[in-house]
Amino acid sequence: MALTLLSHEVSDLCIGKPPLRCLSVATATVADAIAALKSSDEPFLTVWSCDHHDEETDGNDKCECLGKICMADVICYLSKFDNNVLSLSSAFDASVSVLIPKSRSLVVHVHSSCKLIEAIDLIIQGAQNLIVPIQTRSSITKRRQQQKLLINRNVVVSLSATTATTHKNGLQFCWITQEDIIRFLLDSISVFSPFPSLPISDLGVINSTQHTILAVDYYSSAASAVSAVSRAILDNVSVAVVDKGCDQEEDQRMALIGEISPMTLACCDETAAAAVATLSAGDLMTYIDGSGPPESLVGVVRNRLEDKGMVGLISLVDSLSSFSGSSSDDESSPAGRMRTSSYGRSVSSAARMARKSVAIVCNRKSSLMAVMIQAIAHRVSYVWVVDEDGCLIGMVTFVDIFKLFREFLDGDN
């Protein structure tokens, strides 16, 4: 019965999904990516090998998604540059390809007829999103329009200057996320009985290896956490902010204070790079919290930028502050303008409030089903596991859960 359930096609999960907004790697710059992210209600944009703004290109060229980007990628990228105006200017002019992870592809193309069990295998192998072709009435109309272009080259396709949703031959794509598949499994969780009701400690699904757990000390500099945040984006997890207050002579445990989440950073704008450059990991966690940066920390960031002579980041903050549109005395001050720009995204306030720096935790006796529901409820792909003292034991990720379901199916055959 479970194997029959997972023989569903991924197209069954595509119903109602909007087409992906796309950037062309051939023409888009980092500045284009920032502008597109700010105008989008979604935290991610996809980057493609094709260019749909050039009507001279061959309509038979293959469209391939090269990766996905979010504002967290931008913030990590900007933090690696020398903090002078010329250096940051060249960073914005660089190709959008510099934001795409080079170590492995996080997106994989699949046919709409791909089986769900095959999709799970691809995710276990490292994919975060599966790109699926979709066809709508609008895409059929678009195809007819493109056919007319082959006859009359003087006709120009009207598309956004930066992003598009329709590809060559009128194709559109959506993607399937790990969360989509977890939701699908939860809808029929009784089919997999009894193991979803068992404690995660009994199932051996808690991942506690040092290679998997990304952690920074609460008092360490936020800049030292940039590489960990980049890894967290690749692994679809977060960076734990810890304090070694649980230490014993024979026991090296860490108290879990909170987390630096790429998804929380994705709700900020590029000025958060200034906070990364000047604050501690603990203060950064507070700064990027969904309720917005507190005024006291905004002042600290501004003062430290000036003390360190980081003219590039100061220029960046000031340039964005000029678009705040506020005439109040508080927001016209340097600190006030910086606070306004830090959350200058089109992301809804409800979405920002949903992403907090408070870590989502469970204990070793939590059932697998409870952990799945907890992760879905908080829109995360992992749950931290702590002991009775609040010390970090490990984490359970969606990938760990998929491996468990796969083992169940293999043993069921």
Side-chain angles (χ1 to χ4, degrees), residues 270-341:
E270 65 270 35
T271 60
V276 172
T278 56
L279 296 178
S280 68
D283 285 341
L284 177 65
M285 184 176 66
T286 303
Y287 185 94
I288 66 175
D289 190 84
S291 57
E295 184 176 354
S296 58
L297 277 182
V298 171
V300 169
V301 171
R302 181 74 191 203
N303 290 337
R304 290 180 181 175
L305 287 176
E306 294 175 349
D307 291 343
K308 294 182 178 182
M310 295 181 169
V311 294
L313 287 176
I314 293 174
S315 176
L316 171 64
V317 170
D318 287 346
S319 65
L320 264 70
S321 299
S322 63
F323 295 103
S324 65
S326 173
S327 60
S328 69
D329 292 338
D330 176 63
E331 291 188 357
S332 62
S333 67
R337 292 196 306 269
M338 189 172 177
R339 184 172 63 255
T340 301
S341 66

Side-chain angles (χ1 to χ4, degrees), residues 97-400:
S97 61
V98 300
L99 301 177
I100 304 173
K102 303 297 188 295
S103 58
R104 71 170 189 265
S105 177
L106 302 182
V107 297
V108 175
H109 281 263
V110 297
H111 293 291
S112 57
S113 59
C114 174
K115 302 299 183 184
L116 197 57
I117 193 168
E118 297 170 344
I120 290 176
D121 288 339
L122 289 172
I123 290 174
I124 291 174
Q125 293 166 17
Q128 286 187 17
N129 302 80
L130 305 179
I131 307 295
V132 185
I134 56 176
Q135 188 173 34
T136 64
R137 290 182 180 179
S138 60
S139 67
I140 295 173
T141 302
K142 190 66 182 178
R143 181 184 303 170
R144 291 172 180 170
Q145 292 174 348
Q146 290 180 335
Q147 289 172 345
K148 291 178 181 179
L149 286 176
L150 297 176
I151 301 173
N152 184 2
R153 287 290 185 179
N154 293 323
V155 179
V156 178
V157 179
S158 176
L159 287 173
S160 165
T162 307
T163 61
T165 59
T166 304
H167 297 257
K168 299 286 183 356
N169 299 320
L171 280 177
Q172 291 183 320
F173 296 85
C174 69
W175 66 17
I176 300 299
T177 66
Q178 296 178 9
E179 180 182 324
D180 292 328
I181 300 178
I182 290 291
R183 288 182 181 276
F184 183 86
L185 294 175
L186 275 172
D187 286 342
S188 304
I189 198 69
S190 60
V191 172
F192 300 94
S193 183
F195 87 84
S197 61
L198 298 177
I200 54 175
S201 58
D202 293 354
L203 293 170
V205 74
I206 302 174
N207 201 326
S208 57
T209 61
Q210 290 185 347
H211 176 73
T212 302
I213 305 300
L214 302 171
V216 295
D217 186 78
Y218 183 89
Y219 299 100
S220 64
S221 69
S224 67
V226 170
S227 60
V229 173
S230 296
R231 256 283 308 279
I233 296 172
L234 282 174
D235 295 343
N236 205 20
V237 294
S238 289
V239 179
V241 178
V242 300
D243 181 25
K244 296 183 178 181
C246 291
D247 283 357
Q248 303 292 333
E249 291 184 1
E250 71 284 351
D251 179 29
Q252 291 292 316
R253 296 186 296 161
M254 301 179 294
L256 180 62
I257 306 299
E259 65 178 17
I260 299 174
S261 166
M263 288 306 297
T264 305
L265 282 170
C267 293
C268 302
D269 64 23
E270 65 270 35
T271 60
V276 172
T278 56
L279 296 178
S280 68
D283 285 341
L284 177 65
M285 184 176 66
T286 303
Y287 185 94
I288 66 175
D289 190 84
S291 57
E295 184 176 354
S296 58
L297 277 182
V298 171
V300 169
V301 171
R302 181 74 191 203
N303 290 337
R304 290 180 181 175
L305 287 176
E306 294 175 349
D307 291 343
K308 294 182 178 182
M310 295 181 169
V311 294
L313 287 176
I314 293 174
S315 176
L316 171 64
V317 170
D318 287 346
S319 65
L320 264 70
S321 299
S322 63
F323 295 103
S324 65
S326 173
S327 60
S328 69
D329 292 338
D330 176 63
E331 291 188 357
S332 62
S333 67
R337 292 196 306 269
M338 189 172 177
R339 184 172 63 255
T340 301
S341 66
S342 295
Y343 278 83
R345 296 289 312 280
S346 65
V347 180
S348 68
S349 59
R352 293 199 299 267
M353 290 300 291
R355 292 302 302 127
K356 295 281 189 177
S357 296
V358 177
I360 309 304
V361 301
C362 67
N363 61 62
R364 284 174 285 200
K365 296 302 180 182
S366 299
S367 71
L368 178 66
M369 184 168 63
V371 170
M372 292 170 69
I373 293 172
Q374 193 175 9
I376 290 294
H378 292 278
R379 303 302 303 272
V380 294
S381 59
Y382 58 90
V383 175
W384 300 105
V385 185
V386 296
D387 63 16
E388 59 276 5
D389 296 320
C391 291
L392 183 61
I393 295 174
M395 70 191 317
V396 178
T397 69
F398 280 168
V399 173
D400 297 322

